[in-house]
Amino acid sequence: MKSSILWRAGVLIFAANIVLSACSGIASPTNKGIGGTVWVADEEGNSITVINAATNKVITTLNGIEGAHNLQVAPDGKTVWALSGHEALAVMLDASTYKVHGVVPTGMEPAHIILLPDGTTAYATNGSDNTVTVIDVDSMTTVATIPVGEYPHGLRPSPDGRWVYVANAKSTTLSVIDTQSNTKVAEIEVGERPVQVAFSPDGKYVYVSLNKENALGKVEVATRKVVGKVSVDHGPIQVFVTPDNKYVLVANQGTEDNPSTTVSIVDIATFKAVSTIETGEGAHGVVIDPSGRYAYITNIYENTVSVIDIEQRTVIATIPSGAAPNGISFSALPAIPAPSSEVQLEIPESDMMDMPGMTP
């Protein structure tokens, strides 16, 4: 009788442990109930790190894009566009095969690339040329080159695709591009050293990192006027608005000699910084998953990516990346296994660069 009671007790304890394990798995940083893929441009690693968002584990490293400064997942998630700062190229990758789909020459020192919400057109900033290259996605050809301000860096499209706002990092302005005519239609004075911009989901405001002022600016789209500024930590770089339009996240890089290690969270309703989260040295790039629950931060001086639980305002995971992780983008499509832990991309030789749209 006694042994029977002990046996039943053991079964109950075992079952309870299974339930607890399952529950803890749901809350675990490696099983967060979110699918998707995080893509990271490793500038000094000449590579791209691909991360499974469900497990916070590296899937593979794609080698061969020289000076991979920034990248962007296409709206449908099927392709990823990366820039080679050294080769002056926009490279389109197939997200399912991890292969190069095609290349398009850009201007000198390309920095950031974005696509319009309908996925038809890509825009890349060319720092040395003070221009933006406009690429037709279907034909993989350049259709316009637009003069903008001094040393254009970050840029983003409006949610309706009507405008592209460009941060001119060696000036005090944002350039406004009309996407219907592919011309610059305005310059907006915003403050010292604007580096990147982010639209509110309703398209009414644009937020801009003011690197030299250690501040975040707020621009009203209808009037093209600065309507607010708030102090953040040292050396802000990239910015991103949460999908619910409640917060702006600002990655504060600082400098290599004096790196910052934080992300500032700015409350949009009050336009005040309400939290500062410690991430890693040189917090640079920031992206937020479509659910708005998690943010992913590249730490450029320590070769890692931090995962932030926005509601809890804490780092839940730190993931290794290639050298000097810079730009970062999120795909809602499930992570796809790679053929190996490292993949060598086949980039066209320099004498073939005059052949936009070439597909290896």
Side-chain angles (χ1 to χ4, degrees):
M1 180 71 177
K2 183 177 180 181
S3 60
S4 177
I5 293 171
L6 290 173
W7 181 84
R8 289 196 195 96
V11 169
L12 290 172
I13 292 169
F14 178 73
N17 284 336
I18 290 175
V19 172
L20 288 172
S21 295
C23 293
S24 63
I26 292 171
S28 168
T30 59
N31 183 15
K32 311 185 300 299
I34 183 172
T37 311
V38 181
W39 296 75
V40 182
D42 309 314
E43 188 163 19
E44 293 180 9
N46 301 322
S47 63
I48 293 172
T49 300
V50 187
I51 299 167
N52 186 337
T55 63
N56 289 329
K57 302 291 185 182
V58 173
I59 300 169
T60 190
T61 301
L62 310 179
N63 297 310
I65 297 183
E66 299 291 323
H69 185 77
N70 215 279
L71 49 67
Q72 180 66 52
V73 173
D76 63 6
K78 294 180 180 179
T79 60
V80 178
W81 289 72
L83 289 174
S84 169
H86 296 173
E87 302 291 342
L89 279 180
V91 181
M92 185 205 281
L93 303 172
D94 187 313
S96 62
T97 64
Y98 300 115
K99 292 183 178 180
V100 175
H101 176 76
V103 298
V104 182
T106 64
M108 297 303 295
E109 290 190 59
H112 283 237
I113 189 164
I114 56 93
L115 284 87
L116 295 185
D118 64 7
T120 61
T121 313
Y123 293 77
T125 52
N126 306 307
S128 290
D129 295 347
N130 299 334
T131 62
V132 170
T133 296
V134 186
I135 300 167
D136 178 77
V137 171
D138 284 343
S139 64
M140 290 291 286
T141 57
T142 299
V143 294
T145 301
I146 307 170
V148 288
E150 187 177 3
Y151 206 80
H153 194 73
L155 76 171
R156 292 257 172 78
S158 59
D160 62 3
R162 184 69 175 82
W163 315 104
V164 170
Y165 274 54
V166 184
N168 302 306
K170 290 186 178 179
S171 75
T172 58
T173 69
L174 303 181
S175 296
V176 181
I177 292 173
D178 181 333
T179 61
Q180 294 182 353
S181 63
N182 279 328
T183 58
K184 184 186 77 170
V185 294
E187 289 279 323
I188 304 172
E189 287 284 341
V190 291
E192 294 294 324
R193 199 166 187 260
V195 177
Q196 176 60 302
V197 297
F199 274 88
S200 61
D202 58 14
K204 293 181 179 180
Y205 297 97
V206 168
Y207 301 92
V208 53
S209 57
L210 300 171
N211 182 265
K212 198 171 180 179
E213 296 183 23
N214 299 331
L216 178 73
K218 181 179 183 179
V219 176
E220 187 177 49
V221 171
T223 62
R224 294 176 180 163
K225 301 281 187 185
V226 175
V227 294
K229 284 187 182 181
V230 59
S231 295
V232 292
D233 213 340
H234 177 51
I237 298 288
Q238 289 199 24
V239 296
F240 209 98
V241 182
T242 56
D244 60 8
N245 203 27
K246 287 185 177 180
Y247 303 109
V248 184
L249 271 63
V250 185
N252 305 301
Q253 177 177 311
T255 64
E256 192 166 5
D257 293 333
N258 182 27
S260 179
T261 59
T262 66
V263 168
S264 299
I265 297 183
V266 175
D267 184 285
I268 285 176
T270 62
F271 207 57
K272 293 181 179 179
V274 294
S275 185
T276 301
I277 300 170
E278 289 285 337
T279 55
E281 289 195 358
H284 180 101
V286 54
V287 72
I288 298 171
D289 84 271
S291 77
R293 183 175 178 184
Y294 300 102
Y296 301 82
I297 313 297
T298 57
N299 302 308
I300 198 168
Y301 300 135
E302 68 172 46
N303 306 333
T304 62
V305 173
S306 296
V307 185
I308 294 174
D309 184 315
I310 296 175
E311 183 179 350
Q312 299 299 320
R313 297 184 183 176
T314 185
V315 172
I316 62 167
T318 301
I319 307 164
S321 68
N326 198 305
I328 188 166
S329 193
F330 190 96
S331 170
L333 296 184
I336 296 174
S340 63
S341 61
E342 291 196 26
V343 175
Q344 184 63 41
L345 297 174
E346 297 181 10
I347 308 295
E349 299 295 333
S350 58
D351 60 353
M352 300 174 69
M353 295 308 181
D354 60 346
M355 300 172 62
M358 194 278 316
T359 303

